[in-house]
Amino acid sequence: MEEQIRTETVFSGNLLTVRSDTVRLANSRTSTREVVEHPGAVAIIPLTDDGKILLVEHFRYPVGRTMLEIPAGTREPHERAIETARRELEEETGLQAESMIEIARFYSSPGWATEEIVLFRAESLSPSGHGPDHDEILDVIGVSPARIPGLMRDGRIADAKTIIAAQMITAHFR
């Protein structure tokens, strides 16, 4: 265990807070830990009746390129993960799910961030009449699980949450 001795907020924005903590290590020495505080997120594996996985294609500004990802989004304060998952599925795909099952929880990068992602599997999809947020330009693409490894090799799928989800789903279809 490490004991926090001092903390300083370095940055506070709309989504993230960055802090620098001084900690006492198990050997009694001190060290600095830089931490990005994140409210948490959800990710959804939407499965169509014909066995395809719905991915969203959109431009990711921080990495400067378009990527294929499973639908996902940030949790609002005091919002349950299942509520966020239902909202994000509608916003990103225009669909709602009759069945939404939590299948995993994981940290995106626990060495420096608090973000926990809750992964859901969504089935029995139907149109919701909802659409993307004003700041999102998305295309929804249905992909067979067999195509996923090739999309990862080609770099079209390159984010951790989608790779984790794809590995779970493709293992299920083997």
Side-chain angles (χ1 to χ4, degrees):
M1 295 288 296
E2 296 179 355
E3 175 191 358
Q4 183 187 72
I5 299 170
R6 184 178 62 80
T7 187
E8 175 188 356
T9 299
V10 178
F11 170 81
S12 186
N14 293 329
L15 175 64
L16 306 171
T17 299
V18 180
R19 67 176 206 258
S20 178
D21 293 353
T22 303
V23 298
R24 185 176 327 283
L25 306 174
N27 63 7
S28 297
R29 293 185 179 166
T30 61
S31 188
T32 300
R33 301 288 184 246
E34 294 172 341
V35 179
V36 175
E37 294 177 358
H38 187 284
V42 300
I44 306 105
I45 305 168
L47 296 173
T48 63
D49 291 341
D50 63 355
K52 291 185 177 170
I53 300 169
L54 296 181
L55 301 176
V56 291
E57 181 179 54
H58 57 117
F59 183 78
R60 288 299 198 177
Y61 179 80
V63 295
R65 67 188 200 122
T66 300
M67 302 174 81
L68 284 173
E69 303 176 21
I70 57 174
T74 302
R75 292 175 69 175
E76 298 290 337
H78 309 294
E79 186 177 45
R80 294 182 320 138
I82 186 76
E83 294 166 349
T84 307
R86 290 191 184 285
R87 176 176 51 78
E88 289 295 337
L89 180 65
E90 287 190 45
E91 289 176 3
E92 296 199 359
T93 67
L95 300 169
Q96 57 191 0
E98 187 176 309
S99 172
M100 183 83 72
I101 299 166
E102 181 180 324
I103 59 172
R105 288 175 178 250
F106 55 91
Y107 290 94
S108 59
S109 191
W112 54 270
T114 64
E115 179 187 35
E116 179 185 50
I117 298 176
V118 183
L119 182 62
F120 291 88
R121 180 178 172 148
E123 296 179 286
S124 300
L125 306 173
S126 62
S128 70
H130 206 284
D133 285 343
H134 74 282
D135 62 347
E136 291 184 311
I137 300 170
L138 309 170
D139 287 320
V140 179
I141 299 168
V143 176
S144 72
R147 285 193 54 215
I148 299 289
L151 291 168
M152 288 190 300
R153 276 191 304 277
D154 294 345
R156 297 267 296 134
I157 294 175
D159 70 295
K161 72 182 178 314
T162 303
I163 291 171
I164 290 168
Q167 293 299 318
M168 293 179 80
I169 290 300
T170 54
H172 172 76
F173 283 98
R174 285 186 192 152

